[in-house]
Amino acid sequence: MLRRSASFAVAGLAMLGTTSQTAAGGRAVECYEPVRAPAVYDTVYDDVMVSPPGQQVDYTPPIYGTRERVVMTVPSQVTYEVEPAITRTVYHTVKVDGGGYSWEWRVIHGRRVLCKIWHKTRYERVAETVVIQPERTRRVVIPAQYDRIAEEVLVQPEQRRVIDVPASYQTVARRVLVREGSSGWRRVHIPRHCQD
């Protein structure tokens, strides 16, 4: 770089000398023109990480359904009932008095006398309750009662699955400087007829 600066300085001095000679009516011996080389760039493609690797949890909620089932709401019971006796009224004639003779005092024509009296046999119709079937205790079984009920049941439990997510990359283009631009002097060829 130091050498290039020195050559630029020499060339500048030469130009100044040439210019002053030309302006003074002298003959051009050497001529230079400024030259600039532009900087050279290239496109470089890099893979850059967009997102780092990680883990993702895949969650599936539980699934519920409805199931119908028969349940006992009232259990069976045993009770006892008393059945009253079955009776019937029967009527029949019975002898109340067997009849015959008896003595008893009576008053006849103002005189009290003892008389022998004849009595007839007396019968009466009486009612009698007859038991046809005696009282008894009967065992009664009350059956159980059942009902259908709907209940919520778990069909499939919840599921959690850990998934490894790899890193994500993306290709990014960027411009890089291959060669810096430079400036200098280039000698210009002067035809002979232009030198005079």
Side-chain angles (χ1 to χ4, degrees):
M1 188 70 182
L2 187 59
R3 174 184 282 177
R4 183 181 298 175
S5 300
S7 62
F8 287 158
V10 170
L13 289 174
M15 278 299 292
L16 288 173
T18 305
T19 305
S20 62
Q21 287 182 3
T22 304
R27 182 170 62 90
V29 180
E30 290 182 358
C31 295
Y32 294 86
E33 65 177 348
V35 178
R36 177 167 179 80
V40 178
Y41 292 90
D42 194 7
T43 301
V44 177
Y45 296 93
D46 295 328
D47 289 334
V48 295
M49 183 186 295
V50 178
S51 60
Q55 289 184 331
Q56 178 181 348
V57 179
D58 186 18
Y59 173 73
T60 303
I63 300 175
Y64 292 91
T66 302
R67 180 180 64 186
E68 192 177 74
R69 65 188 181 98
V70 178
V71 295
M72 181 190 296
T73 53
V74 179
S76 61
Q77 298 177 353
V78 177
T79 61
Y80 294 91
E81 294 181 354
V82 177
E83 294 183 352
I86 300 174
T87 60
R88 187 175 64 182
T89 302
V90 178
Y91 296 93
H92 54 273
T93 304
V94 295
K95 184 190 291 185
V96 179
D97 189 354
Y101 296 94
S102 68
W103 294 92
E104 55 183 50
W105 292 97
R106 292 190 178 180
V107 176
I108 300 175
H109 302 297
R111 296 174 57 188
R112 188 173 179 267
V113 293
L114 184 60
C115 300
K116 185 178 183 180
I117 306 297
W118 166 254
H119 299 282
K120 292 193 301 182
T121 303
R122 266 189 323 116
Y123 296 90
E124 286 186 4
R125 186 175 175 81
V126 294
E128 181 181 2
T129 300
V130 179
V131 177
I132 298 174
Q133 181 177 305
E135 178 187 278
R136 65 175 184 170
T137 301
R138 184 168 65 93
R139 184 174 181 266
V140 179
V141 178
I142 301 174
Q145 295 181 14
Y146 296 88
D147 286 326
R148 289 183 175 272
I149 63 169
E151 62 180 359
E152 188 179 58
V153 293
L154 179 64
V155 177
Q156 178 180 307
E158 68 173 23
Q159 296 178 354
R160 295 178 185 268
R161 188 163 56 101
V162 178
I163 302 172
D164 291 326
V165 180
S168 176
Y169 293 89
Q170 183 178 1
T171 302
V172 177
R174 64 185 178 90
R175 294 192 65 188
V176 294
L177 179 65
V178 176
R179 188 176 64 235
E180 292 184 358
S182 62
S183 60
W185 295 93
R186 182 175 60 185
R187 186 172 181 176
V188 179
H189 175 70
I190 304 172
R192 184 174 292 274
H193 65 275
C194 293
Q195 296 178 2
D196 297 333

